[in-house]
Amino acid sequence: MFIKEKSEIHTKKLYYAFPVVLVGYKDDKFKYNATTISSTYSLGNTINMGITSDSHAAEQIKKYGEFTINLPCDSLMSEIEICGFFSGNNKLQQADLPYTVGNFVDAPLIDECFLSMECRVSECIEFEGYVHFIGKIERRIADKNLVDEDGNFISEKAKTVHFIGCSNKRVYRYLKEETKDLGDFIEGGTSNCG
């Protein structure tokens, strides 16, 4: 087996292709707002999200205990950057993003995003300048063309934007059209993945 030579990366940050999401939240000043992040993942009905501790969004989410996760596609790149670059502003208005308020949480579901989740904070953990929110997903909604007749998500059609890079340079990456089913790369194709 050929072993590739590796080099140490000298950086304070490393993003290895996380999906970009717009986090919707209740806001004291503007009623509702949004911010762009790339540090989320979900397991079952649990959502985990990390945000800079001193950010306006973190302060408001800690106060109200609820938020939404909204997945944009690459047609919303300017809106993604507006929501990421103008902390403390009314970014939903600035980016001209229409929204509806959730059924289970008092936070905005961004209409133009193909997938949205209503989430309630269960726990906040502050660590090294970041706040990690652990929450419960109360509801998931997706564009009708991404849901089959049985209510299952059609993942092959989703086109997410990913964030990758280090302290020196960060870039956006986009999913390619090709997909493979879970289990396609092993004989017998059964999975024990959650």
Side-chain angles (χ1 to χ4, degrees):
M1 173 186 259
F2 176 72
I3 298 175
K4 293 183 179 180
E5 189 176 337
K6 297 187 178 171
S7 298
E8 187 172 342
I9 301 169
H10 299 284
T11 185
K12 291 182 180 183
K13 297 179 179 183
L14 182 62
Y15 300 92
Y16 41 95
F18 299 105
V20 172
V21 301
L22 298 174
V23 178
Y25 58 92
K26 190 171 178 81
D27 187 299
D28 285 339
K29 189 174 181 183
F30 305 110
K31 190 164 183 177
Y32 299 109
N33 215 333
T35 194
T36 303
I37 68 167
S38 62
S39 299
T40 65
Y41 67 94
S42 68
L43 293 168
N45 284 326
T46 302
I47 188 88
N48 296 273
M49 169 178 74
I51 301 178
T52 306
S53 292
D54 62 356
S55 70
H56 179 72
E59 174 190 312
Q60 298 297 295
I61 293 168
K62 282 191 274 187
K63 179 176 182 176
Y64 291 105
E66 47 195 20
F67 59 94
T68 62
I69 297 291
N70 303 273
L71 274 84
C73 64
D74 59 1
S75 67
L76 295 175
M77 293 309 299
S78 63
E79 291 86 348
I80 288 169
E81 290 205 333
I82 288 169
C83 289
F85 279 91
F86 298 98
S87 183
N89 287 5
N90 184 347
K91 295 181 273 185
L92 289 170
Q93 181 181 9
Q94 190 174 350
D96 195 24
L97 281 169
Y99 63 89
T100 54
V101 177
N103 287 357
F104 296 94
V105 302
D106 190 15
L109 297 162
I110 299 172
D111 296 342
E112 293 184 50
C113 290
F114 67 85
L115 175 69
S116 296
M117 294 177 274
E118 297 180 42
C119 309
R120 193 168 313 283
V121 175
S122 300
E123 190 174 347
C124 300
I125 301 167
E126 302 255 357
F127 184 73
E128 294 189 359
Y130 297 94
V131 60
H132 302 266
F133 292 100
I134 300 169
K136 181 176 187 265
I137 300 169
E138 300 287 347
R139 178 177 173 231
R140 298 173 183 89
I141 58 172
D143 285 354
K144 285 185 180 185
N145 66 341
L146 295 176
V147 180
D148 69 16
E149 59 276 352
D150 296 322
N152 299 309
F153 183 63
I154 305 171
S155 52
E156 297 88 344
K157 292 184 179 181
K159 292 187 177 186
T160 52
V161 176
H162 294 257
F163 193 60
I164 187 166
C166 64
S167 297
N168 179 53
K169 183 176 182 179
R170 293 177 292 272
V171 298
Y172 300 107
R173 299 230 11 164
Y174 308 98
L175 286 182
K176 60 183 185 177
E177 292 295 323
E178 180 184 4
T179 64
K180 297 288 183 186
D181 287 341
L182 184 65
D184 277 356
F185 299 98
I186 57 172
E187 205 169 314
T190 351
S191 168
N192 61 356
C193 296

